[in-house]
Amino acid sequence: MKGIKILGTGHYLPERIATNDDFSKIVDTSDEWITSRTGIKERRIASGEPVWYMGVNAARDALLDAQLDASEIDLILHTSVTPDFYTPSMACMVQRDIGAKNAIGIDVNCACSGFVYALDIAAKYLQDDQYKNILIVSSEKLSKITDYSDRGTCVLFGDAAAACIITKGDGMFFSYLGAQVEDADKLFARTITDDNPFCDDNDQQKYDKFSDSNGQYIYMDGREVYKFAIKAIPKAIKGACDKAGVDVNSIDMIVPHQANVRIMETAAANLGLSIDKFYMNLELYGNTSSASVPLCLDEFIKEGGLKEGMRICVVGFGGGLTYGAAIFDL
Ligand code: UT7
């Protein structure tokens, strides 16, 4: 398969910062617990700005970085677990506001693996000459679906948007995607249940084994997802390397979904790699679902870390339970 080239990246971060100490005022927790168990120190919380607005700002930042006009974008892939609408899609909203008059847009929902799945879709679309420049926007407002009375989850999540524009490249691109769907009920946030005079909640309970998650709030069995993540990361990275016919040691930088520093340390040990190969910024932003990988990429590139010829691996895991890695040379 032909490779990809990153033309530009961008981000949008809400201004409001919520520290661990702020959380100790609303739930029974402490900076010590959150820092030692997760590595998170603070996160951003949106102040009313919609998901599409955050995505539009990240997309504009990426266009500026790529020195491209929005009319040169052929495809927009938008990832989110917190879209503003059932319809139109977030991709259409971004397309409208940046003025990408020649693009089509598709929403991708693969939870925290969303960016990796979107990158894989983009790499495949690039094989069609009709699609030259592809914009991936990952915009997440976890605060919309966070239960701020549940200390086990509320301290983890943050709001952010990040974007990445890619085109065809000369290097290699291989991916390994999967899902442990039998554990879908270990991490979920429901849509609102049917609300019509002919159907009550009891009727709906018959159709799935998902526990009542107090409406639309995120439910997560942290320990089970943890166990899944420490196996899924090495499996996905090794899977992508095997397909590419390269050794994991040949990867220069791994950009993982930012869920928990202990998950990354264990995954690194399982792969026999130094933790220094894992890019991390969760200390400042917490878990921003699908936005976390492109947010890291943007930061890594803007601080001058990315060099031509480098071998990069992006890896995600989350609701579904989905997982996936993509390895590519720049
Ligand atoms: O992005 C999607 C993927 N998500 C993930 O990868 C998340 C995976 N899971 C995790 O990162 C970890 O499981 C958590 C950070 C969510 C939890 O850490 P843990 O070390 O697995 O803690 P635990 O759930 O086993 O809970 C240990 C104790 C419990 O108390 P008891 O039962 O031992 O008395 C919890 O009630 O810690 C308690 N606890 C807290 N204490 C203070 C749970 N949350 C908190 C909290 N502050 N915020």
Side-chain angles (χ1 to χ4, degrees):
M1 176 180 259
K2 299 242 175 66
I4 60 165
K5 187 174 167 197
I6 297 177
L7 295 176
T9 58
H11 72 268
Y12 173 86
L13 287 162
E15 275 177 25
R16 184 189 290 150
I17 296 173
T19 64
N20 290 348
D21 286 335
D22 292 330
F23 276 84
S24 66
K25 290 176 197 137
I26 57 172
V27 285
D28 181 12
T29 190
S30 63
D31 176 45
E32 197 283 324
W33 192 96
I34 304 169
T35 306
S36 61
R37 297 289 181 119
T38 70
I40 298 164
K41 284 293 220 184
E42 56 187 52
R43 68 293 284 147
R44 302 297 177 100
I45 307 285
S47 313
E49 56 268 60
V51 174
W52 61 262
Y53 174 90
M54 292 168 45
V56 164
N57 279 282
R60 286 194 177 129
D61 195 24
L63 283 166
L64 213 60
D65 189 41
Q67 298 185 311
L68 280 181
D69 188 81
S71 61
E72 296 173 90
I73 298 294
D74 305 300
L75 171 65
I76 299 170
L77 296 170
H78 192 290
T79 75
S80 187
V81 292
T82 55
D84 299 304
F85 308 112
Y86 287 126
T87 190
S89 68
M90 294 294 94
C92 282
M93 294 297 285
V94 171
Q95 184 180 343
R96 181 192 72 166
D97 279 24
I98 63 171
K101 56 180 190 241
N102 298 313
I104 60 159
I106 303 170
D107 277 11
V108 176
N109 182 349
C110 299
C112 306
S113 311
F115 179 79
V116 179
Y117 274 63
L119 192 66
D120 186 57
I121 296 168
K124 287 172 169 109
Y125 260 94
L126 286 173
Q127 300 309 304
D128 180 337
D129 288 339
Q130 209 185 318
Y131 301 94
K132 188 164 170 264
N133 299 317
I134 301 183
L135 166 66
I136 303 173
V137 181
S138 300
S139 183
E140 302 278 16
K141 196 165 143 184
L142 277 301
S143 58
K144 270 205 310 192
I145 57 170
T146 296
D147 178 355
Y148 285 100
S149 66
D150 175 13
R151 70 175 181 173
T153 54
C154 73
V155 300
L156 307 173
F157 301 112
D159 300 336
C164 183
I165 301 172
I166 65 162
T167 193
K168 255 188 199 173
D170 297 327
M172 56 95 161
F173 180 99
F174 287 91
S175 62
Y176 184 94
L177 310 178
Q180 194 169 300
V181 286
E182 61 277 19
D183 288 324
D185 61 333
K186 301 289 189 296
L187 172 53
F188 66 90
R190 329 179 66 107
T191 55
I192 48 173
T193 47
D194 291 356
D195 183 19
N196 68 54
F198 308 102
C199 178
D200 66 33
D201 284 353
N202 290 336
D203 288 333
Q204 297 175 48
Q205 298 294 335
K206 291 185 299 209
Y207 295 99
D208 68 43
K209 60 175 182 164
F210 289 63
S211 58
D212 185 354
S213 67
N214 193 14
Q216 84 280 23
Y217 293 132
I218 289 182
Y219 167 82
M220 181 169 73
D221 182 335
R223 282 180 207 186
E224 285 303 313
V225 177
Y226 189 100
K227 283 193 248 165
F228 156 77
I230 56 173
K231 285 192 191 138
I233 298 172
K235 183 177 176 184
I237 294 177
K238 273 191 196 144
C241 285
D242 285 351
K243 280 194 189 177
V246 301
D247 192 273
V248 285
N249 284 293
S250 70
I251 301 170
D252 294 305
M253 183 56 79
I254 294 171
V255 183
H257 168 49
Q258 307 286 300
N260 187 323
V261 68
R262 291 187 296 135
I263 290 178
M264 294 186 241
E265 284 166 355
T266 310
N270 287 347
L271 284 161
L273 294 177
S274 158
I275 189 66
D276 296 342
K277 283 210 172 174
F278 282 64
Y279 192 87
M280 275 188 244
N281 66 10
L282 87 166
E283 187 181 349
L284 293 179
Y285 308 119
N287 180 341
T288 58
S289 191
S290 69
S292 81
V293 171
L295 192 62
C296 284
L297 267 182
D298 180 56
E299 196 174 88
F300 184 48
I301 291 170
K302 302 270 166 76
E303 66 194 17
L306 210 70
K307 304 268 180 319
E308 211 158 76
M310 260 188 168
R311 179 161 294 168
I312 303 294
C313 178
V314 290
V315 58
F317 51 93
L321 297 172
T322 56
Y323 57 91
I327 181 172
F328 50 95
D329 288 344
L330 290 170

